């Protein structure tokens, strides 16, 4: 029996790896798929029904702003107030009306990406006589623990929102075991969330022996709190054959600050900042590097549970791995012997890990990654996701 799904994600969905993989798997399984979200850099796949939406913050007058502030404060004790605040403080009602009434979407399964689209998906499911699911990319309740303002105002509201919607969802999915366990514990979910890791689609790529220059690659969003400053500070301590490449989208002023930092450390010739490439080109382009890198500080459960797209992209690209010694990433690196782990984020610790990698070790890890990609890929994870959705509708 063919099912219909509406995927809702307030991200540039035509560039969003998880949305692209998820929709592809559903379509391949015979589902009819609508995707509502922001327009990305690349065009939507031809087999989508794509609904571009805008996420516009409301501009309330002084009186309404005070009322909203009060609702935000009180929402920590009231799920109803948390939802009222949701609909009133941003243009979410306009997004729902556009999907449901302007575009006339009806579906068997409304798939929300993260808590902030769950109310839209829940309303669409109710209107359609269907069900809704929530796919949690992050441990949202612990996402910005370094920010005291966020901890006071937003964190309790997020908890209230998740407590209101996650138990009502037909199924909850998430990206790793740590987040699955935390969500079940936090909200008393009747079933543990299904773990659907953000693994890459398998691509057969060549083994590329390590050459005279060894390229260490970070790719992904370029922003603070991703260990890039500490890594650039460590480059003067690296053996001279190593180079550091940063590739991805980021604010131009932040990119300039990283260039200035590299110049200040005297390594402007060893640190290169490349523009982002299209989603379909990310893994083949990564295959030209030698080491896939990602180190960030363990300052919250969200950071500790990190299991990002980039780790799986590095594996499919056939790279040696050098990542933070955080439980979710470390488990995969150790299990498949893919590379080295960095204990902490100090420049000296990063340099010690990089310098421990000889060309022979890098080539061994590269071969291990290529072998691992054949079993640790989206094709396997998609099966878990589809089973969860089929159970929900059954």
């Amino acid at each position: 029996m063919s099912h219909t799904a509406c995927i809702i994600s307030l991200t540039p969905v035509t560039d969003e790896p998880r949305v692209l993989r998820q929709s592809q798997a559903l379509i391949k399984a015979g589902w009819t798929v609508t995707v509502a979200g922001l327009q990305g850099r690349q065009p939507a796949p031809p087999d989508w029904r794509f609904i571009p939406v805008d996420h516009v913050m409301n501009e309330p007058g002084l009186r309404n702003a005070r009322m909203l502030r009060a609702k935000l404060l009180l929402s920590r004790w009231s799920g109803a107030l948390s939802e009222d605040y949701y609909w009133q403080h941003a243009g979410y009602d306009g997004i729902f009306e556009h999907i449901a009434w302007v575009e006339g979407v009806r579906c068997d399964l409304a798939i929300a990406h993260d808590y902030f689209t769950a109310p839209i998906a829940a309303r669409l499911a109710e209107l359609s006589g269907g069900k809704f699911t929530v796919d949690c990319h992050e441990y949202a309740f612990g996402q910005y623990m370094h920010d005291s303002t966020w901890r006071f105002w937003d964190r309790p509201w997020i908890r209230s929102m998740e407590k209101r919607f996650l138990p009502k969802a037909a199924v909850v999915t998430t990206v790793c075991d740590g987040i699955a366990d935390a969500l079940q514990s936090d909200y008393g979910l009747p079933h543990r969330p299904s773990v659907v890791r953000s693994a890459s689609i398998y691509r057969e790529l060549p083994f590329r022996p390590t050459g005279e220059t060894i390229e260490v690659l970070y790719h992904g969003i370029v922003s603070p709190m991703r260990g890039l400053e500490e890594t650039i500070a460590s480059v003067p301590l690296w053996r001279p054959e190593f180079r550091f490449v940063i590739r991805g989208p980021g604010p131009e002023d932040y990119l300039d600050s990283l260039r200035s930092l590299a110049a200040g450390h005297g390594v402007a010739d060893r640190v290169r900042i490349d523009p982002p490439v299209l989603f379909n080109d990310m893994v083949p382009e990564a295959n030209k590097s030698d080491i896939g890198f990602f180190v960030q500080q363990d300052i919250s459960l969200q950071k500790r549970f990190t299991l990002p797209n980039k780790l799986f992209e590095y594996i499919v690209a056939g790279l040696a791995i050098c990542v933070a010694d955080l439980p979710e990433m470390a488990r995969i690196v150790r299990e498949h012997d893919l590379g080295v782990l960095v204990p902490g984020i100090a420049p000296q610790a990063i340099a010690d890990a990089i310098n421990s990698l000889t060309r022979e070790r890098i080539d061994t890890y590269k071969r291990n990654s290529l072998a691992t990609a054949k079993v640790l890929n989206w094709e396997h994870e998609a099966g878990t996701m589809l089973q969860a959705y089929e159970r929900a509708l059954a």
Side-chain angles (χ1 to χ4, degrees), residues 21-340:
R21 289 191 292 260
Q22 182 183 67
S23 61
Q24 180 193 64
L26 289 168
I27 291 166
K28 188 176 180 180
W31 291 54
T32 301
V33 175
T34 298
V35 179
L38 311 183
Q39 175 66 58
R41 290 178 295 117
Q42 58 187 16
D47 44 11
W48 281 11
R49 179 188 176 190
F50 176 42
I51 300 176
V53 298
D54 291 320
H55 185 206
V56 180
M57 299 300 291
N58 292 335
E59 294 292 339
L62 180 61
R63 180 179 178 183
N64 284 339
R66 288 174 175 169
M67 180 193 68
L68 284 173
R69 204 69 168 164
K71 281 188 176 180
L72 178 59
L73 181 63
L74 295 173
S75 68
R76 63 196 67 202
W77 297 292
S78 167
L81 283 178
S82 69
E83 186 176 355
D84 284 349
Y85 175 77
Y86 172 87
W87 291 113
Q88 293 173 28
H89 89 284
Y92 295 119
D93 51 352
I95 292 172
F96 169 74
E97 288 172 8
H98 183 71
I99 295 169
W101 298 114
V102 176
E103 297 291 343
V105 173
R106 300 294 182 271
C107 57
D108 300 317
L109 193 66
I111 302 171
H113 278 252
D114 290 307
Y115 74 92
F116 47 82
T117 58
I120 300 173
R123 275 193 181 180
L124 185 61
E126 183 178 9
L127 182 66
S128 302
K131 297 183 178 181
F132 79 96
T133 75
V134 185
D135 186 40
C136 298
H137 297 210
E138 319 283 351
Y139 182 61
F141 180 57
Q143 194 162 5
Y144 301 110
M145 296 300 288
H146 59 284
D147 184 336
S148 59
T149 301
W150 179 88
R151 292 201 309 269
F152 180 78
W153 288 103
D154 295 284
R155 189 172 189 244
W157 173 69
I158 290 169
R159 182 178 180 85
S160 185
M161 285 284 288
E162 291 193 323
K163 185 177 181 180
R164 184 170 179 81
F165 285 97
L166 295 190
K168 296 177 183 177
V171 64
V172 177
T173 55
T174 191
V175 297
C176 70
D177 289 299
I179 296 178
D181 292 337
L183 291 176
Q184 186 175 29
S185 173
D186 288 348
Y187 303 116
L189 302 180
H191 303 288
R192 183 176 183 264
S194 296
V195 175
V196 181
R197 294 174 292 189
S198 290
S200 273
I201 294 169
Y202 177 70
R203 303 177 73 154
E204 189 169 353
L205 291 169
F207 168 73
R208 198 183 62 80
T210 304
E212 183 176 347
T213 298
I214 304 173
E215 193 167 280
V216 180
L217 172 69
Y218 167 92
H219 80 198
I221 293 173
V222 183
S223 64
M225 304 299 295
R226 289 175 177 250
L228 297 174
E229 292 86 351
E230 291 85 354
T231 304
I232 290 172
S234 78
V235 172
L237 305 174
W238 294 7
R239 297 200 314 269
E241 62 265 33
F242 288 104
R243 301 289 184 272
F244 185 40
V245 176
I246 299 170
R247 179 180 300 128
E252 196 57 42
D253 57 345
Y254 181 65
L255 298 177
D256 286 340
S257 75
L258 295 180
R259 293 185 186 100
S260 297
L261 185 63
H265 283 287
V267 290
D269 60 332
R270 299 179 64 190
V271 176
R272 192 176 83 232
I273 299 179
D274 289 350
V277 297
L278 294 177
F279 171 73
N280 290 335
D281 297 330
M282 285 175 63
V283 170
E285 197 65 26
N287 178 254
K288 301 173 184 177
S289 297
D290 299 294
I291 300 167
F293 180 88
F294 182 46
V295 172
Q296 64 176 2
Q297 195 170 0
D298 182 8
I299 58 171
S300 67
L301 285 180
Q302 161 62 15
K303 299 293 186 185
R304 195 170 307 150
F305 294 152
T306 293
L307 191 60
N309 293 325
K310 62 176 62 63
L311 175 63
F312 300 102
E313 290 157 357
Y314 295 156
I315 292 169
V316 171
L319 303 185
I321 305 298
C322 179
V323 295
D325 189 3
L326 298 173
E328 298 290 343
M329 291 194 294
R331 184 182 301 123
I332 290 175
V333 172
R334 290 192 178 107
E335 181 180 349
H336 299 281
D337 192 23
L338 301 177
V340 295

